[in-house]
Amino acid sequence: PLERCADHNNNSSLFPHTTMKLEDTPSLIAEANHLLILNSPQKALQFYNEALELAASIEAQTNVLVQRIACHLVLDRVKEARNDLEALRELSKNGNSPQECASLWMPMREAQILEVEGDISRALQRYKDALGKDSENEWLERKVKKLAGQSVEMPATVKKGGTKSQVPAPSSSKPSTSPAPQPSSDDSTTKKDTILPPSQRILTAGDRIKYNHYFINGKCFLSILGLRNVPNDKRSVQFLDDETVRVEVELPDGSQWNKDFVLYGKIIPDQCSFQNYAPKIEIELDLANKLEDWPRLQKNEGASTSYDINKIKTYPSSKSHTDWDKIEAEILEKEKKKEGDGNINALFQQIYSNADEDTRKAMLKSYTESGGTVLSTNWSEVGSKRIDPSPPSSMEAKKYNE
């Protein structure tokens, strides 16, 4: 959760992405939080860094560090997140940092780091410590319940920092996880009594792998999630043909997770690609028909949970189309008519077009001979003499060669 550790006048406005310069720490933090919500963590990190440079007080520095830890974790920069946590500890010594940060935010951020590192039991304890300081925090309550269930479901060995550590076995009060015997014809034990419920079943590493997808600009982006601690050389993506994508993953416990995605529509294999990230594989599928998105990812799937970003941005309730170019042209035309010189010229043009021959000659002769300083409509007055320039009192008439 992106919340504030300290109250900086409650400045939580979201700034549009323009060239405006943000010069105070609260504004930089608010913009960074906004970018992080918009899934732009790299840009958000730049704003957090600038905010930390401008932070003059201990309170402001604490606020930036608390938010920057979350950004580091999104970018899978666990080492940098721990460095910021240590900096928070230094600020909290001798009561320098706000009490809320020391009692609530430090254990919460430490729990998030431990969770990313895979140390679920310690992460759970730190989440409980934070919940003890804020018992009404619904997010913390959900996180504690979720991790409490995972602590039972974790396999017998998990990797932590490259080494294996033993996880305490469930107490005797927990149901046995050994395979249940098949009931005989005269056995009164029913099948539902011998099969563990999902909440007590031990999950394998493969059970934690999920995938999702979305469509945008004639492409389908397929993400394979839950691959943290799986090296890139243990992952494989193959575009077998124009309808099949094969994903193979060798998990740390030695098991395999293999899946062939039989796609709903056709793709262009030569233009498809994939990218490995620490926690996932991002697969980019180039659709053969870019004008129509698929209702689901695979042919044999039921109702799809995918969405089209382009369709989300539309407004189906709009009944008419507004021609903004036409409106802009009308506004510019009105502004042009309001301008002083343009209005006077329009008046002179109207007089000239409606005048007789003598009036037109008088206007042309007086305007030309005076260098644009005199305009007369009386031909009997200007027709028999030369019209000299008559500039304003603050100006002097000169010829071009003078």
Side-chain angles (χ1 to χ4, degrees):
L2 289 174
E3 301 178 14
R4 314 185 71 78
C5 175
D7 183 11
H8 293 279
N9 298 325
N10 198 22
N11 186 358
S12 59
S13 60
L14 303 181
F15 300 93
H17 299 291
T18 63
T19 55
M20 65 181 295
K21 185 175 181 181
L22 306 176
E23 298 182 344
D24 60 285
T25 301
S27 299
L28 288 166
I29 293 176
E31 176 67 1
N33 291 347
H34 181 48
L35 288 168
L36 196 56
I37 293 172
L38 294 180
N39 199 23
S40 298
Q42 197 63 51
K43 293 182 181 179
L45 182 60
Q46 297 176 7
F47 279 90
Y48 285 132
N49 294 340
E50 293 179 19
L52 189 59
E53 292 179 1
L54 295 177
S57 65
I58 298 296
E59 184 180 15
Q61 293 173 16
T62 299
N63 193 14
V64 177
L65 289 173
V66 166
Q67 308 293 4
R68 195 169 71 169
I69 289 175
C71 185
H72 283 317
L73 293 177
V74 172
L75 291 168
D76 201 41
R77 297 159 58 95
V78 181
K79 181 178 179 181
E80 289 78 2
R82 277 214 166 273
N83 291 339
D84 281 359
L85 182 64
E86 292 301 321
L88 276 178
R89 286 198 177 101
E90 290 296 324
L91 292 176
S92 66
K93 288 182 179 179
N94 301 322
N96 290 332
S97 65
Q99 181 62 29
E100 181 186 7
C101 178
S103 61
L104 174 61
W105 287 101
M106 281 182 57
M108 182 184 295
R109 290 297 188 241
E110 183 180 3
Q112 291 173 320
I113 294 173
L114 290 169
E115 184 180 2
V116 170
E117 292 175 339
D119 195 342
I120 302 299
S121 60
R122 291 180 59 198
L124 176 60
Q125 183 57 49
R126 295 303 281 158
Y127 277 127
K128 289 181 178 179
D129 294 341
L131 184 60
K133 302 298 181 181
D134 187 4
S135 58
E136 298 182 356
N137 191 313
E138 296 181 357
W139 184 88
L140 281 174
E141 289 181 358
R142 292 194 300 269
K143 179 61 71 172
V144 168
K145 291 179 180 178
K146 179 180 178 181
L147 291 191
Q150 287 188 14
S151 63
V152 177
E153 299 166 1
M154 289 181 61
T157 58
V158 295
K159 285 196 173 183
K160 174 187 173 184
T163 61
K164 291 187 176 180
S165 59
Q166 295 295 324
V167 176
S171 62
S172 58
S173 60
K174 299 293 182 181
S176 173
T177 58
S178 59
Q182 294 295 328
S184 60
S185 58
D186 58 347
D187 193 349
S188 60
T189 305
T190 61
K191 186 176 182 180
K192 66 178 182 179
D193 295 327
T194 59
I195 298 179
L196 292 176
S199 62
Q200 297 175 352
R201 183 169 57 89
I202 294 180
L203 298 181
T204 64
D207 293 329
R208 304 184 188 278
I209 296 180
K210 309 294 180 183
Y211 61 89
N212 58 31
H213 70 287
Y214 63 91
F215 298 94
I216 181 173
N217 296 334
K219 296 182 182 292
C220 175
F221 291 87
L222 172 62
S223 299
I224 312 298
L225 310 172
L227 302 182
R228 194 177 297 278
N229 299 326
V230 178
N232 291 346
D233 58 357
K234 302 297 183 182
R235 311 175 184 184
S236 171
V237 177
Q238 304 174 52
F239 305 103
L240 300 182
D241 52 42
D242 60 357
E243 290 185 337
T244 310
V245 178
R246 174 172 294 173
V247 180
E248 298 178 343
V249 179
E250 183 179 341
L251 300 170
D253 60 2
S255 61
Q256 291 284 136
W257 187 90
N258 302 329
K259 184 170 181 62
D260 287 347
F261 291 90
V262 181
L263 305 175
Y264 180 87
K266 294 184 180 297
I267 60 174
I268 306 176
D270 294 341
Q271 298 183 18
C272 297
S273 61
F274 69 95
Q275 183 70 38
N276 279 309
Y277 297 96
K280 66 178 181 177
I281 302 175
E282 188 76 29
I283 303 173
E284 181 179 328
L285 303 175
D286 192 28
L287 307 188
N289 183 5
K290 296 180 172 55
L291 300 180
E292 184 177 356
D293 295 332
W294 306 336
R296 54 184 180 272
L297 178 64
Q298 301 181 81
K299 289 183 177 180
N300 57 352
E301 282 183 342
S304 174
T305 58
S306 64
Y307 58 91
D308 184 350
I309 290 181
N310 293 323
K311 293 180 180 177
I312 290 176
K313 293 182 179 179
T314 61
Y315 299 89
S317 61
S318 301
K319 296 182 179 179
S320 61
H321 174 69
T322 302
D323 190 349
W324 294 107
D325 293 334
K326 181 180 178 181
I327 294 176
E328 181 182 9
E330 292 176 353
I331 293 175
L332 292 176
E333 184 65 24
K334 290 180 181 179
E335 291 179 349
K336 184 177 180 180
K337 290 181 179 179
K338 291 180 181 179
E339 295 177 359
D341 293 341
N343 196 20
I344 293 175
N345 288 334
L347 176 62
F348 290 160
Q349 291 174 4
Q350 184 179 3
I351 294 174
Y352 185 84
S353 62
N354 297 329
D356 57 20
E357 188 64 25
D358 288 343
T359 302
R360 291 184 179 183
K361 290 192 295 182
M363 293 177 71
L364 288 174
K365 185 175 185 298
S366 61
Y367 190 82
T368 303
E369 292 181 354
S370 68
T373 60
V374 176
L375 182 64
S376 175
T377 58
N378 190 348
W379 176 249
S380 60
E381 179 183 344
V382 300
S384 59
K385 62 179 181 180
R386 181 174 180 80
I387 307 301
D388 296 325
S390 180
S393 58
S394 60
M395 301 180 69
E396 181 182 356
K398 289 186 177 181
K399 296 183 179 180
Y400 287 110
N401 56 359
E402 292 182 355

